[in-house]
Amino acid sequence: MKEELLVGEVPASLRGRPEVHQLGADRCLFCIRSDLTMDGKASDIWLVVTETKAFAVGGGEVFLLKEIQKVRTFQTVGSAFLQFLTDGVYVDVIRYSNACRERFSRAQVQLQRLVEGKPVQLEALKQPSELICPDCGLPLPARRAVCPRCTGGKSIFFRSLSLMREYRGFIALLLCMMIVGVGLDLVPPYLTRLLVDKVLTPKQHIDWLPMILLGLVGASLGRQCLNVFIGRTSSYIGTRITKELRERLQNKLMILSVDYYDRHSAGSLMSRVLYDVDYFQGFVSQVAQGFLLNVILVLGIGAVLFTMNWHLALLVLLPVPFVVVGTMFFWKHVYPRYYRLWDSQSKMSQRLTGLLQGIRLVKLFGQEEREQQRFSDSAQYMQEARRSVEMSTATFGPFMGFVFGLGGLIIWYAGGHRVLEGEITLGTLMAFFGYMGMFYGPISAMSMFSNWLTGFMSAGQRVFEVLDANIGVVEDRDAVRLPDLRGAIELRNVTFGYDPYSPVLKGVTIKIEPGQFVGIVGKIGRAHV
C-alpha cells in the first residue's frame, strides 16, 4: 500500500528533487500524497508543508505561510483543489481525487492553524480514516461501519445460527422429521421396482398390486403430513427470531448517538428493520426445508444409487462438476448485483420517506413535478438493479436444467443397453430413473440456493452492521439518577377586566399545580402579566 502521509520527513522518492533541497533550515512538518496532476492526469504529487512554506512538488509555486490569508478546499465533479487565498485571490495549490478528500480536509484544517499562528495538531493528521478499513484497506459502507470483507460471510452465517440457540429442541425435532421424510421419499421408487419386476413383467403376484399401491399412497400421505409439521415448526421459529431481532434493532437504534443518524438516512434504517430482517425467517426455512434437507436427500439417494448399480451411479454424477462451477460463477457475478438492488431499495425508501414527511413544503413551493422526477429516477434505478438480478437468475436456471437433462439422456443410453443385454431388469432401470430425478432435484435446488444466499448475506451484513455500531456516547457507570421533579406555574399581578360595567380584579396571583386544570369562563377584556 502506498504511503499517504509522512510526518516530520520528506518521502524518499523526493529527496533528490531541487525543490526539497531549497528548503534549507526549514523543518518539514508533514507531507501528503495526491493522486492527480493539475490537468487531471493520474500521478503521485506530494504537498510539502514546513514551518514557513507550503508547496506541491512538481513545478508548483512555493507559498509563504505568512502571505496566506485563508486555506480552503474547492470541490468539483470527481476531484477537488486545495486553494490558498493570497492578495485577495484564491490560487490552486494541488488537485486530488475524491479518494483523497478526507486526508486533504484534515490537512486544510492544520494549514489554517499554521496560517493563524497556531501549532499543528499532528495527531489529528495521523488519525485513522473512518471510511477505510484499517485491516484490509478497502472502503467501508459508512463511517466507522463494520467491514463486510473482514467479517466475511462465515461470520454472518454462524451469528445467524447463534440466534437459534434457544430453539435447539425444535431444531432437533426438525432434523428427526427430515430424516424420516427422506426415508419416506426413498420408498416409492423401490415399490415401483417391485411392481415392474415382480408383478407387471412376469404377470405374477397379482395380489401384491393393491398392497404396493397402498404403500405408495401411505408414503405420499406420510410425507405430506411431515411437511405440514416441518413447515409449521420452522414458521414458529422463524417468526420468533424475526420478532426478537427487530426488537434488538429498535433497542440499539434508541441508544445510538445522534451523529449515527447524521450518517444514515431514516429510510435506510427503516428498510433494515422492516425488510432485511425478513431474510432471517427465510434462513430458518432454508435450513429446515431447503439446504439441509437437500443435503440429506443427496447423501441418502446417492447411497441407494451406488447400491443398485455403481456404473450407472457414476454416470449420474457427470453433470455435478458443471453444476459446481456454474454455481461458483453465479455467486461471484450475482452477489454485487444484490448489493446494488438493496441500495436502490434503500434510496427509494429514503426518497419516499422524505417526500411524505415534507409534503407540505413540496406543495407550498410548488415542487410536485421536481419531486415526481426525482422519484421516477429512483424507480428507474431500482428497475435496472432488479432486472439485472432477475435476468441473471433467469439465465442460470435453464442452463442448469439443460445440464441435468443431458445426464438423464446419458442414463437412458447406458441403462437401456444394460437392460437389453440382461445385466439389469426394467424395474431396476425405472427405479433408477426415479431415484435419479430425486437426486438431480436437490442438486438443482442447492445450485439455486446461492441465489437466496446472496440476498441473505447482503441483508445479514446490513442488520449486523447496525447491531455492531459504536454507541458513541456511553452512560457513566457512576451517574446519579435524579428524583422525580415537581413544579408549578405561578402568575403574579394578573389583571382581569370582563367588561366596562364589571369591576376589575388587580394584583391577583394564580398558581397552577401539576395535574390541575384551570379554566376561565366568560369574555376576557384585558389580561396583563
Side-chain angles (χ1 to χ4, degrees):
M1 185 180 298
K2 293 183 178 180
E3 292 179 324
E4 299 174 348
L5 170 68
L6 289 177
V7 176
E9 60 177 328
V10 178
S13 59
L14 303 182
R15 291 171 186 170
R17 301 291 293 267
E19 302 98 314
V20 177
H21 282 297
Q22 294 175 5
L23 291 178
D26 277 356
R27 183 173 65 90
C28 176
L29 295 178
F30 59 89
C31 300
I32 293 186
R33 182 183 65 84
S34 170
D35 53 0
L36 293 178
T37 61
M38 283 296 187
D39 55 359
K41 296 181 180 179
S43 180
D44 289 342
I45 305 296
W46 285 86
L47 175 68
V48 180
V49 180
T50 69
E51 295 175 334
T52 59
K53 303 174 185 176
F55 60 92
V57 177
E61 180 182 354
V62 177
F63 296 88
L64 297 178
L65 296 180
K66 63 181 180 180
E67 298 177 356
I68 300 173
Q69 288 90 44
K70 191 175 181 181
V71 183
R72 76 171 186 181
T73 57
F74 181 73
Q75 185 68 41
T76 61
V77 179
S79 64
F81 293 88
L82 183 70
Q83 297 179 336
F84 291 162
L85 178 63
T86 58
D87 298 329
V89 178
Y90 278 104
V91 181
D92 295 336
V93 180
I94 193 169
R95 186 177 184 180
Y96 54 91
S97 70
N98 287 338
C100 309
R101 181 171 57 186
E102 185 176 7
R103 61 176 178 268
F104 271 94
S105 297
R106 296 179 181 181
Q108 179 259 332
V109 174
Q110 301 308 317
L111 281 167
Q112 185 63 40
R113 290 180 59 88
L114 288 173
V115 168
E116 296 172 357
K118 300 177 182 178
V120 65
Q121 298 171 325
L122 297 179
E123 292 299 324
L125 277 175
K126 294 187 294 184
Q127 183 179 357
S129 173
E130 298 177 351
L131 294 173
I132 303 297
C133 176
D135 298 325
C136 64
L138 294 177
L140 297 174
R143 288 184 179 272
R144 292 181 290 183
V146 178
C147 181
R149 300 167 187 84
C150 294
T151 54
K154 293 182 179 179
S155 175
I156 295 174
F157 184 79
F158 287 116
R159 290 186 67 177
S160 302
L161 285 178
S162 66
L163 296 176
M164 297 190 292
R165 187 174 302 165
E166 60 179 292
Y167 304 100
R168 288 190 292 264
F170 290 101
I171 295 173
L173 178 61
L174 280 175
L175 184 59
C176 294
M177 288 191 292
M178 284 189 291
I179 294 175
V180 174
V182 170
L184 291 175
D185 288 334
L186 298 177
V187 171
Y190 177 76
L191 294 179
T192 302
R193 178 183 180 183
L194 291 179
L195 180 64
V196 173
D197 289 344
K198 303 297 183 181
V199 179
L200 299 181
T201 301
K203 298 181 181 180
Q204 299 175 357
H205 306 292
I206 305 300
D207 56 324
W208 288 13
L209 182 59
M211 292 185 293
I212 293 176
L213 293 179
L214 287 175
L216 291 172
V217 172
S220 177
L221 180 61
R223 186 66 174 111
Q224 298 308 317
C225 291
L226 275 176
N227 287 341
V228 171
F229 285 110
I230 291 175
R232 293 172 70 91
T233 305
S234 61
S235 176
Y236 172 79
I237 298 174
T239 52
R240 285 286 302 272
I241 288 177
T242 53
K243 170 185 174 292
E244 294 171 0
L245 194 55
R246 282 195 174 98
E247 291 176 348
R248 289 178 58 185
L249 282 173
Q250 192 269 346
N251 291 335
K252 186 60 181 284
L253 291 173
M254 292 297 293
I255 63 176
L256 288 173
S257 56
V258 178
D259 65 333
Y260 183 83
Y261 297 93
D262 295 334
R263 303 191 303 269
H264 299 82
S265 65
S268 172
L269 297 176
M270 287 176 59
S271 177
R272 302 185 193 205
V273 177
L274 297 179
Y275 306 120
D276 291 339
V277 173
D278 286 335
Y279 273 92
F280 287 83
Q281 182 171 351
F283 175 80
V284 179
S285 300
Q286 286 291 336
V287 171
Q289 304 181 67
F291 183 77
L292 186 57
L293 176 61
N294 290 327
V295 170
I296 298 175
L297 277 172
V298 167
L299 295 177
I301 297 171
V304 173
L305 289 177
F306 275 92
T307 303
M308 293 177 61
N309 191 296
W310 67 272
H311 296 92
L312 292 179
L314 290 177
L315 295 178
V316 170
L317 297 178
L318 283 179
V320 174
F322 297 97
V323 175
V324 173
V325 173
T327 303
M328 295 175 61
F329 179 82
F330 181 82
W331 173 275
K332 181 178 179 181
H333 288 79
V334 174
Y335 181 75
R337 301 182 185 184
Y338 267 93
Y339 186 83
R340 185 168 179 256
L341 175 60
W342 169 82
D343 182 62
S344 67
Q345 293 172 340
S346 176
K347 289 181 178 178
M348 171 76 77
S349 177
Q350 176 182 351
R351 186 66 50 83
L352 185 59
T353 302
L355 173 62
L356 296 179
Q357 289 178 346
I359 191 65
R360 291 179 177 82
L361 291 177
V362 172
K363 291 182 174 295
L364 178 64
F365 291 98
Q367 297 297 312
E368 290 88 349
E369 293 184 2
R370 176 174 176 269
E371 290 300 324
Q372 182 178 1
Q373 182 60 43
R374 293 179 63 193
F375 188 82
S376 178
D377 294 339
S378 296
Q380 179 69 24
Y381 175 47
M382 185 175 178
Q383 174 194 349
E384 294 175 355
R386 184 174 293 278
R387 181 174 59 190
S388 176
V389 171
E390 293 185 354
M391 288 181 67
S392 300
T393 55
T395 304
F396 181 72
F399 175 75
M400 289 295 101
F402 173 75
V403 173
F404 291 131
L406 287 180
L409 294 177
I410 293 173
I411 297 302
W412 266 117
Y413 179 80
H417 272 287
R418 282 172 169 76
V419 171
L420 295 175
E421 294 171 0
E423 296 182 9
I424 60 175
T425 63
L426 179 61
T428 301
L429 181 61
M430 296 298 294
F432 204 91
F433 268 105
Y435 286 126
M436 184 188 67
M438 295 171 59
F439 184 77
Y440 282 159
I443 291 181
S444 177
M446 289 169 65
S447 66
M448 296 304 296
F449 177 74
S450 61
N451 183 19
W452 174 86
L453 188 60
T454 50
F456 170 74
M457 289 299 182
S458 181
Q461 170 190 325
R462 295 187 297 273
V463 169
F464 288 123
E465 179 184 317
V466 176
L467 295 177
D468 296 336
N470 295 325
I471 297 177
V473 179
V474 182
E475 184 177 352
D476 192 351
R477 294 182 178 179
D478 299 329
V480 179
R481 182 175 296 276
L482 295 176
D484 293 338
L485 301 178
R486 298 179 59 85
I489 300 175
E490 184 173 306
L491 305 177
R492 297 179 180 273
N493 298 323
V494 181
T495 301
F496 290 98
Y498 299 95
D499 56 59
Y501 304 101
S502 299
V504 178
L505 301 178
K506 297 182 179 180
V508 178
T509 299
I510 301 176
K511 187 174 183 180
I512 304 174
E513 297 290 345
Q516 180 182 3
F517 175 76
V518 177
I520 300 177
V521 180
K523 181 179 179 182
I524 300 178
R526 299 188 307 276
H528 302 286
V529 179

